[in-house]
Amino acid sequence: MSRGVLLVDDDASVRSAVARYLRLKQWDVLEAADLREAGERLRERRPDAAVVDYSLPDGSGLELVRRIHELEPTVPIVVLTAHGSIDLAVAAVKEGAEQFFTK
């Protein structure tokens, strides 16, 4: 079975670019545009990793970080945001994100 990554971003162009890169690196990408779709993808398959946008139309990406870690505590998660700050990066890491990047 291939490695699966959950990619959650409401910006279709960002999601497409990141998904294309991950597929080139041999990842099976499960895409979602919001928390609801991410929940559907999690019911389909547990990811080996996740890339999550902080700001989603139906809530915070940190909610998803918590949810993923409740299901699979060892899944590495990267949080992306267009509006980063030190406080937000610290909060993301405290919730379980391994990395925090500004787009």
Side-chain angles (χ1 to χ4, degrees):
M1 179 182 244
S2 63
R3 301 175 303 165
V5 61
L6 175 63
L7 172 59
V8 185
D9 197 311
D10 60 318
D11 184 326
S13 62
V14 169
R15 195 172 62 248
S16 176
V18 174
R20 187 172 44 253
Y21 174 80
L22 291 169
R23 287 184 178 110
L24 286 172
K25 298 298 181 183
Q26 306 302 309
W27 285 90
D28 180 20
V29 181
L30 305 167
E31 295 184 50
D34 55 31
L35 293 175
R36 183 191 57 76
E37 284 185 14
E40 292 172 8
R41 299 301 162 268
L42 286 172
R43 284 188 290 282
E44 294 169 11
R45 179 175 175 192
R46 298 286 166 88
D48 298 299
V51 178
V52 178
D53 186 11
Y54 170 75
S55 182
L56 297 166
D58 55 350
S60 165
L62 297 187
E63 295 173 46
L64 185 56
V65 170
R66 284 188 293 273
R67 184 170 178 192
I68 292 168
H69 274 185
E70 286 172 3
L71 297 170
E72 297 289 338
T74 62
V75 169
I77 302 172
V78 173
V79 174
L80 302 176
T81 186
H83 309 286
S85 70
I86 297 297
D87 291 339
L88 184 55
V90 169
V93 170
K94 283 184 178 179
E95 289 298 334
E98 296 224 356
Q99 295 290 328
F100 180 88
F101 295 109
T102 302
K103 297 182 203 177

